[in-house]
Amino acid sequence: MIILAWNGSGKLGSIFDGDVFKKVLSIFITAAILKLAQAVLDIIMSWKSRHTMSLHVKLRYILKAVSAAAWVIVLPVTYAYSWQNPSGFAQTIRSWFGNSPSSPSLSDNRIALLIMWWSQPRLYVGRGMHESTFSLFKYTMFWVLLLLAKLAFSYFVEIKPLVGPTKDIMGIHINTYQWHEFFPQAKRNIGVVIALWAPIVLVYFMDTQIWYAIFSTIFGGLYGAFRRLGEIRTLGMLRSRFQSLPGAFNACLIPLEKNEQRKKGLKAALSRKFDQIPSNKGKEAARFAQLWNKIITTFREEDLINNREMNLLLVPYWADRDLDLIQWPPFLLASKLPIALDMAKDSKGRDRELKKRLQADNYMLCAIRELLCRPCMKNFVQLIEYLRENRKEDKDEVVIVLLNMLEIVTRDIMDDPIPSLLESSHGGSYGMHGGMTPLEKQYQFFGALRFPITQETEAWKEKIRRLHLLLTVKESAMDVPSNLEARRRISFFSNSLFMEMPTAPKVRNMLSFSVLTPYYTEDVLFSMNLLEKPNEDGVSILFYLQKIFPDEWTNFLERVGYNSEEELKGSVELEEKLRLWASYRGQTLTKTVLMNGYKAAESNTEEQLRNERSLLAQCQAVADMKFTYVVSCQQYGIQKRSGDARAQDILRLMTTYPSLRVAYVDEVEETSKDKSEKMVKKVYYSALVKAAPKSVDSSDPGQSLDQVIYRIKLPGPAILGEGKPENQNHAIIFTRGEGLQTIDMNQDNYMEEAFKMRNLLQEFLKEYGARKPTIVGLREHIFTGSVSSLAWFMSNQETSFVTIGQRLLANPLK
């Protein structure tokens, strides 16, 4: 490119000029010099291993250097003789080897051509590694476009603009050169030229990686956009798409019935439209309500939301079958009824216009259809509040509210009020008596008023609670949930349902898989002493967690029914809940081992087996067949023998989750069986244990609570290389199933994402080109990103650059 920019007009077409093309051919000399440098560096870097090399390997290194040196000599000589009137270094070469113009050039020699053809390396492609023609085309086009962009930018922006200034600098003659120590024969300002071109040369050799990052961002972003990644990023977007969410939910997570088929491919993903479920009488609405509410209650158990937000997000379990519509969560219907009333007041009899405005907002229309109320809203709200409290002392107030509502109906709504109704109301101008009717007689109008209600069912409570929310909640519900983590999780989960994913099979038909987590000596469960112990700055872990998770701390206190930390200290049970709350917000084994995959499999099985007997036992049996969790606790045996508290916490985890398995390396001292040599040596075993509940009739206080399932003798120490990989390697033999998922202790594993494991495992059955995939990548969320600015940066780059890079390597680079 420097030659093209230096000679002629600098246009790319000048390469077809004979003299310019001959100068461009000098790049082969540069390549030969670089090959020689590479051969010399190979010898230098491998010098210490020369004693272990075979003769053939040493000979290869020597021949490689000799052949590279030969090309460094041959190419400049033949290149010099290709010019008729050479100048500079080419003339010097011809003076060494003879300056006869008839000296032959070796560039057209058949032997040289044969050697150049023979030196081309042969590529070996392993069995089953062939790619399709279209994959090769995509791979080639990506690198062609990238290199064209890199070379064009380098030529037109970096190299060509410097040619003119360089010529001007080189044209200035210098009699006394200041850097004569370095350039004694220099007559031009060569130092300025070097300083001018050095950064450009460095950038030229380095910017390919920069262009790769740019292209990976562009291609990865376009690919993600076509796959509808990030379509729902905010709560506003979620509210606008919520009507289609039940359809998407059932299309992705509910197994297909017989003879059902769904569209597949990119075109289907782009044109994917999920219509609103027409009625809540079908199975679709019930399935959506069950799994959606499971997610919301999980948020409440994790203290991401409070009780009020949970009620606003829940879909009614006991839907009103008289309503031919879906009863949406109350957070979607917030302030719809007050706004509709204001619109009705301002309509001034224009019913057609009012109806058109009401039908423009589907949520408002649903709220009106679910609860139609006009002038008696205030009294109705009071009645709902009394019904929700359901206290005996409020009986008189209930009667008064009912009478007020009756008076409004008879006076303002009925065209021809019945006199008996008027006489039975408050009296006043409508009554026959001059004074107010006694409250005891007003009771008679309603007959035997059953208040408080003695037979409260869950369905009745839910309806009363929902009516109260619909009538009282204002704009504040627009920000539900307020917790940023809850918003991120619910938005990500909802968005993924609109992307292309394999259809979820039934739990019985899904691929079985195992989860493997390596553990060394990190915290399993925070103790109260550790939580309250101040560090060198006087800040305890509990105080730190309370400050960075203030809303979650408030939600935790509401969940346990207390107002402060001091009130929790008196109860052992509440202290355990406090330890769990803190451990779920730290990098602990307790947070990682939540068994969400087991819970999700159990929940999905429960939904599919709801009409069969022994439901719980069948769900657990199916979940045990499909899911296994193995924690590779390398030091568990040592910790257990030394009485370490972490061993007790690990045992507690196994007791809490009976399906959890713990693998560890057991070191045992054994005496040699040879009688002549009574030596004691260490023997290593890879062991797998599970929780063994204490027998009820056992009187042995020292009974072991863990039980060894498998015990495999190892030929020596298991940890030979890096700790974490070796810790995983010795435990892989204990995993079961077709798939293996590895989760580290700084990664999160959510309940709502575990519902999609069936879809994820189906990726292994899809054919991409010539073969099926063996590794499936997941975008991981590093929950420890809030610890420091460095952790925040690393977690963000993990979910951006790393994810985009992996997506690009999968497609189009394959």
Side-chain angles (χ1 to χ4, degrees), residues 267-285:
K267 184 178 180 180
L270 293 175
S271 61
R272 244 179 154 182
K273 292 183 179 180
F274 301 101
D275 298 327
Q276 179 180 342
I277 297 176
S279 174
N280 61 355
K281 296 180 181 180
K283 294 181 179 180
E284 291 81 4

Side-chain angles (χ1 to χ4, degrees), residues 110-318:
R110 293 185 178 180
I111 298 178
L113 292 175
L114 178 62
I115 294 175
M116 293 175 65
W117 169 81
W118 172 77
S119 63
Q120 297 299 318
R122 298 181 61 185
L123 299 179
Y124 172 76
V125 180
R127 183 180 302 167
M129 297 296 292
H130 294 276
E131 291 291 348
S132 63
T133 304
F134 185 64
S135 298
L136 293 175
F137 174 78
K138 290 191 297 180
Y139 179 87
T140 305
M141 287 303 300
F142 174 84
W143 285 110
V144 166
L145 292 176
L146 188 148
L147 292 176
L148 283 178
K150 176 252 191 306
L151 295 176
F153 182 85
S154 300
Y155 181 75
F156 289 105
V157 179
E158 298 175 356
I159 296 174
K160 188 177 179 181
L162 282 183
V163 171
T166 304
K167 288 183 177 180
D168 295 337
I169 295 172
M170 296 295 290
I172 300 175
H173 184 74
I174 299 177
N175 295 325
T176 306
Y177 195 75
Q178 292 184 357
W179 285 4
H180 60 276
E181 297 88 356
F182 299 99
F183 308 101
Q185 304 296 328
K187 300 299 182 182
R188 294 176 176 83
N189 204 343
I190 189 64
V192 175
V193 175
I194 293 176
L196 190 65
W197 281 90
I200 299 301
V201 174
L202 290 176
V203 171
Y204 177 83
F205 285 114
M206 295 172 60
D207 64 350
T208 304
Q209 183 66 32
I210 299 175
W211 282 104
Y212 177 80
I214 295 173
F215 269 66
S216 65
T217 303
I218 295 174
F219 277 78
L222 290 175
Y223 184 78
F226 280 111
R227 296 291 176 177
R228 309 180 74 168
L229 179 64
E231 197 169 279
I232 298 177
R233 299 183 304 274
T234 62
L235 273 182
M237 295 178 179
L238 175 62
R239 295 169 68 92
S240 65
R241 301 291 301 275
F242 204 91
Q243 297 182 56
S244 303
L245 192 60
F249 198 96
N250 287 279
C252 295
L253 301 181
I254 302 302
L256 288 172
E257 300 294 337
K258 292 183 178 180
N259 301 324
E260 276 189 320
Q261 291 184 352
R262 289 173 184 154
K263 296 181 180 179
K264 298 180 181 180
L266 179 60
K267 184 178 180 180
L270 293 175
S271 61
R272 244 179 154 182
K273 292 183 179 180
F274 301 101
D275 298 327
Q276 179 180 342
I277 297 176
S279 174
N280 61 355
K281 296 180 181 180
K283 294 181 179 180
E284 291 81 4
R287 289 167 174 171
F288 170 72
Q290 180 190 13
L291 294 183
W292 173 264
N293 290 345
K294 179 67 175 178
I295 295 171
I296 300 303
T297 53
T298 302
F299 280 11
R300 183 63 191 99
E301 293 170 0
E302 297 176 10
D303 296 317
L304 296 178
I305 57 177
N306 54 32
N307 293 335
R308 174 180 174 274
E309 291 177 331
M310 180 181 68
N311 293 330
L312 288 173
L313 290 169
L314 286 175
V315 176
Y317 282 102
W318 292 270

